[in-house]
Amino acid sequence: MPTTDTAASSGSGFASASVPRHLARGGVGFGALIAAFALIPVFGPATLLLAPVGLVALRGCPMCWAIGLAETVSRGRLHRECTNGRCELKPASR
């Protein structure tokens, strides 16, 4: 009997509630990281305090944000179906 993994549709992992919200988090995160290093010549090492803000907005790392973007975009469109120890991604039935 096939089983369906519904964790992706329940909001697990790194996904956000919506794509615009996820993109806003990315803008804040990447903006803070870039500003932390780009503004050192102007404002000194105090700008490095922006780096933790950027990492919190990205939930730890830029790759985590990218994975979350993929999860957010695909939420509800794909599901994992496992049969006889073999799992596959399939389009969600509507």
Side-chain angles (χ1 to χ4, degrees), residues 2-32:
T3 60
T4 302
D5 181 10
T6 58
S9 62
S10 66
S12 69
F14 300 101
S16 293
S18 67
V19 173
R21 175 184 259 176
H22 198 84
L23 292 175
R25 265 193 29 247
V28 169
F30 286 114

Side-chain angles (χ1 to χ4, degrees), residues 28 77 93:
V28 169
R77 295 182 184 166
S93 57

Side-chain angles (χ1 to χ4, degrees), residues 14 29 37 45 63 69 71 76:
F14 300 101
F37 295 100
M63 183 56 87
L69 179 61
E71 287 181 359

Side-chain angles (χ1 to χ4, degrees), residues 1-93:
M1 178 167 152
T3 60
T4 302
D5 181 10
T6 58
S9 62
S10 66
S12 69
F14 300 101
S16 293
S18 67
V19 173
R21 175 184 259 176
H22 198 84
L23 292 175
R25 265 193 29 247
V28 169
F30 286 114
L33 284 175
I34 291 168
F37 295 100
L39 295 177
I40 289 176
V42 178
F43 297 106
T47 61
L48 292 176
L49 294 172
L50 289 171
V53 172
L55 290 175
V56 168
L58 295 174
R59 293 186 183 166
C61 66
M63 183 56 87
C64 301
W65 179 85
I67 291 168
L69 179 61
E71 287 181 359
T72 303
V73 169
S74 70
R75 178 183 286 137
R77 295 182 184 166
L78 297 174
H79 73 280
R80 183 172 38 185
E81 192 173 291
C82 299
T83 307
N84 298 329
R86 183 174 178 207
C87 296
E88 298 177 335
L89 280 177
K90 296 189 175 190
S93 57

